[in-house]
Amino acid sequence: SYPDAASRPVERVSWNMIASGSTSFMSLTGLRLPTEAEWEYAYRAGTTTAFHSYPGQPAGFNDDILLGNIAWINSNSGQKTHAVGGKFPNALGFHDMSGNVWEWCQDWYSSTYYASSPTTNPTGPATGTTRLLRGGNWASYYGSCRASRRLNYVPDNVGDCYGLRVVRTP
């Protein structure tokens, strides 16, 4: 119902709606969800800090107070999504990697997988009961938007703060 609705992130989608079955978005478009490792690589864009870089902080930053420069979160969102691109992008040019909507990832969730997983581009466990989301959303506080923050829900969960970022395999 917003005049700029076409510019806002997709929301109210479950992992199953996006990626499961012959009529899912992914099967119809040939696109896919990023693995958790791909998502974090894209978020960090070469940084090792809690939050990715932007023009005023080219090495990234750890100061929660600066998060509003790159993210729509609880303190600045008015409790709703906003048009993509309204905040500074990271060094790879990606907008809204923090805030706006949590983004579903391809991987199954495991609280212990990373302790024994490959260190180069891990793909997550082969099975599980919940799927991963990354990035925080418009209702999030600072800690939920950190590069390392992980959230998990059952794949059929739909919420006004769950969305997606797609990947195309060349």
Side-chain angles (χ1 to χ4, degrees), residues 2 5 8-14 17 80-82 100-102 104 138 158-164:
Y2 297 108
R8 292 178 184 234
V10 170
E11 59 177 278
R12 300 177 193 268
V13 291
S14 71
M17 292 166 68
K80 61 185 178 184
T81 63
H82 289 266
N100 232 356
V101 293
W102 284 101
W104 287 105
W138 51 263
V158 175
D160 62 355
C161 57
Y162 305 137
L164 71 150

Side-chain angles (χ1 to χ4, degrees), residues 14-164:
S14 71
W15 188 94
N16 285 339
M17 292 166 68
I18 299 164
S20 180
S22 62
T23 60
S24 71
F25 176 77
M26 296 300 163
S27 66
L28 295 173
T29 63
L31 300 171
R32 65 180 178 85
L33 291 172
T35 65
E36 183 180 21
E38 288 171 330
W39 188 95
E40 188 166 333
Y41 179 87
Y43 177 100
R44 289 187 180 278
T47 65
T48 58
T49 53
F51 305 107
H52 68 69
S53 64
Y54 67 93
Q57 296 289 324
F61 61 98
N62 293 314
D63 186 350
D64 293 345
I65 301 303
L66 299 175
L67 184 59
N69 291 303
I70 64 169
W72 293 109
I73 54 173
N74 185 283
S75 63
N76 67 0
S77 70
Q79 302 303 294
K80 61 185 178 184
T81 63
H82 289 266
V84 173
K87 298 292 182 177
F88 288 117
N90 70 10
L92 296 176
F94 295 132
H95 290 269
D96 297 337
M97 296 290 295
S98 285
N100 232 356
V101 293
W102 284 101
E103 298 176 359
W104 287 105
C105 292
Q106 181 63 39
D107 301 17
W108 289 104
Y109 172 78
S110 170
S111 61
T112 60
Y113 178 74
Y114 280 118
S116 62
S117 69
T119 57
T120 304
N121 201 20
T123 57
T127 62
T129 57
T130 59
R131 295 283 185 172
L132 273 153
L133 296 116
R134 299 293 298 265
N137 73 334
W138 51 263
S140 292
Y141 291 93
Y142 305 106
S144 293
C145 294
R146 293 176 172 270
S148 61
R149 178 69 162 104
R150 307 167 78 218
L151 184 68
N152 63 301
Y153 277 105
V154 293
D156 61 353
N157 193 16
V158 175
D160 62 355
C161 57
Y162 305 137
L164 71 150

